[in-house]
Amino acid sequence: MELRQLHQFVAVAETLNFRRAAERLHMAQPPLSVAIRKLEEEVGARLFERQARGVALTAAGTAALALARRCLNDAHALREVALAAAGGERGILRVGFVGSATYALLPTLLPTFRARFPHVELILRESANQELLAMVQSGELDLGLVRYPTGAQSGLRFEVVESDVFCAVLPARHALAGKRRLTLSDLANEPFVDYASTRVPGLHAMVMLVFQHAGLMPQVAQEATQVQTVISLVQSGMGVALVPSVSARLAARDVVFRPVQGLPPSSAIELAMATRLDDLNPSVQRFRELALARSLKRPRAVVGRQSAVHR
């Protein structure tokens, strides 16, 4: 049974008049009468009693009318859901992110996305850069908010959505905590908490870059994967560190954040949105549009090999 037949049946059932039903359907009356007879033959029961001034529903017709209306409503709902999904307004969006994205990017981006697209189910997952890139490439995630440059070979698309600079973090009772600004020379003589080169190669390379640019080498005492873990180790007295300045927005007890003088222009650290070039999930495009609109600078897309030192 076709939707067209259901529309014709409901029109006759609601008007109880073939002429008025035909006018509603914008068709001639004779073809409508023929269509209803064919429908009754398919159903195997009379749906209408023909009368002098119109028609009346039979018991079978009355029962069929309720179901026909539900079928038409379901068909309409199906169309609306399909169109919404095709436009990225419904569905599932799997987003991976590094811990630093929780400082400023996600708290502003997620509420806006949820308000604008309430029927898109967000599945969020935090992990390290390399794991996120692998999950985006494999299709386990739809997009990843990662540290950029990545220092890894990939065929993903990267679009910068947040740019930042390093600042120093040190214990609140440290001898250097009284200085309003620090230099890399100040930090080079202190036990240093670095980023693990195997898990966070981008941040590790950037830290090494700024020290090498100043002709210095940090005295690495501990390594960690997440920025928040680095701050926690500093808080525990394990050393000093360089962290993205945005991390200072979250209050941390017993540590202080200080700007660092003399950082080279090439030491800018960024968060980028990594997506597959062949991704067909429309919700990804909606998320990308919001993230890029929020970006503090004009984004640039890069495809192919990324270098943690040279761009």
Side-chain angles (χ1 to χ4, degrees):
M1 187 178 300
E2 301 176 358
L3 286 178
R4 174 177 53 83
Q5 292 175 298
L6 292 179
H7 278 292
Q8 292 169 342
F9 167 65
V10 170
V12 176
E14 291 180 345
T15 62
L16 297 178
N17 186 285
F18 276 95
R19 179 181 59 79
R20 289 197 298 270
E23 291 174 352
R24 178 194 290 190
L25 296 168
H26 304 290
M27 63 183 297
Q29 179 177 337
L32 177 58
S33 298
V34 172
I36 294 299
R37 289 194 187 95
K38 289 183 177 179
L39 177 60
E40 290 175 321
E41 292 174 1
E42 290 182 20
V43 172
R46 293 181 62 187
L47 302 175
F48 297 100
E49 290 287 352
R50 276 67 175 175
Q51 299 175 344
R53 294 187 177 183
V55 294
L57 283 166
T58 64
T62 300
L65 177 59
L67 181 58
R69 284 171 171 161
R70 286 200 298 270
C71 289
L72 290 176
N73 288 335
D74 289 345
H76 177 75
L78 185 149
R79 179 178 182 274
E80 293 298 317
V81 168
L83 289 176
E89 298 176 4
R90 282 183 179 271
I92 297 175
L93 182 63
R94 301 161 300 171
V95 178
F97 59 93
V98 293
S100 298
T102 62
Y103 296 131
L105 180 59
L106 288 179
T108 57
L109 184 57
L110 290 184
T112 302
F113 185 85
R114 290 176 65 87
R116 191 167 300 181
F117 305 105
H119 299 298
V120 174
E121 180 184 356
L122 279 173
I123 298 177
L124 305 176
R125 179 167 182 176
E126 181 181 1
S127 190
N129 243 45
Q130 300 303 94
E131 286 81 358
L132 291 175
L133 293 174
M135 285 187 283
V136 173
Q137 286 181 310
S138 68
E140 188 176 348
L141 290 175
D142 296 306
L143 64 88
L145 298 171
V146 299
R147 280 288 166 203
Y148 180 84
T150 67
Q153 177 78 34
S154 75
L156 300 175
R157 169 175 51 200
F158 293 87
E159 296 167 293
V160 174
V161 292
E162 186 172 276
S163 187
D164 199 2
V165 296
F166 279 123
C167 72
V169 58
L170 55 158
R173 297 185 179 182
H174 194 281
L176 296 173
K179 299 182 65 173
R180 297 184 62 181
R181 291 180 177 273
L182 300 176
T183 65
L184 291 173
S185 296
D186 293 329
L187 303 177
N189 296 321
E190 301 291 330
F192 192 81
V193 181
D194 193 14
Y195 301 94
S197 60
T198 57
R199 298 290 305 280
V200 201
L203 277 179
H204 169 78
M206 295 301 292
V207 168
M208 293 298 106
L209 172 68
V210 297
F211 277 102
Q212 290 169 10
H213 185 271
L216 301 168
M217 183 61 66
Q219 299 180 19
V220 178
Q222 297 289 332
E223 290 187 340
T225 300
Q226 299 288 354
V227 172
Q228 188 57 51
T229 306
V230 169
I231 295 174
S232 295
L233 290 175
V234 172
Q235 184 180 26
S236 301
M238 303 304 296
V240 300
L242 290 178
V243 297
S245 65
V246 71
S247 61
R249 296 187 181 187
L250 293 185
R253 296 178 57 187
D254 302 324
V255 298
V256 295
F257 298 85
R258 296 288 184 265
V260 179
Q261 294 177 315
L263 294 180
S266 59
S267 65
I269 49 178
E270 298 167 325
L271 283 176
M273 188 165 39
T275 54
R276 294 183 301 279
L277 298 176
D278 59 350
D279 192 279
L280 299 178
N281 185 346
S283 295
V284 171
Q285 180 60 26
R286 302 287 83 79
F287 193 95
R288 287 180 59 231
E289 290 168 356
L290 286 180
L292 295 177
R294 176 203 172 277
S295 177
L296 300 179
K297 70 174 191 176
R298 186 174 182 176
R300 51 189 175 83
V302 185
V303 178
R305 182 171 178 78
Q306 313 302 317
S307 169
V309 178
H310 304 289
R311 304 195 186 177

